[in-house]
Amino acid sequence: MATFIDIHEGFVGATKEQFEEAHRRDVEIQAASGVEFVQAWLDPVSGKAFCLATGPSLEAVIHVHERAGHPAKEVYELPIAV
Amino acid sequence: MATFIDIHEGFVGATKEQFEEAHRRDVEIQAASGVEFVQAWLDPVSGKAFCLATGPSLEAVIHVHERAGHPAKEVYELPIAV
């Protein structure tokens, strides 16, 4: 199981409730994919969101976000952590 | 204390040892600044690195990375986490 981070844009001014709702859609969809979203963070000033996930592949992470209706702008596999 | 994520570039092909050394420089410098680097991840394919930190200000995080010799390309404050 690999670790991934993805970056979303367009959440300018989003509230915690709106961000939770977006995250909830990911979590609802993730079960069948083998992806698990570990944590997600939002900067409502820039509108950037970052999701840390584990999963079988980069494509699986991309697919969950697409199905949830908020495709990620960038996704990176993170084989090295310190 | 706020939470921040920063993005570095240019670590293409870096090893775990090289990444640990870069992170160690941050950690050595952080004490005086009130910044604490919680975790750091590397994608050696794209060369992108991501550091999760807590600290008193965005400027403090930027300053630690600058002093460590690897300025961040982007730093975001993350007031919302789920």
Side-chain angles (χ1 to χ4, degrees), chain B residues 1-22:
Chain B
M1 199 62 78
T3 299
F4 303 90
I5 197 162
D6 56 65
I7 306 174
H8 300 256
E9 293 189 340
F11 284 94
V12 175
T15 64
K16 183 172 173 68
E17 290 67 30
Q18 290 168 326
F19 193 53
E20 282 174 341
E21 171 58 25

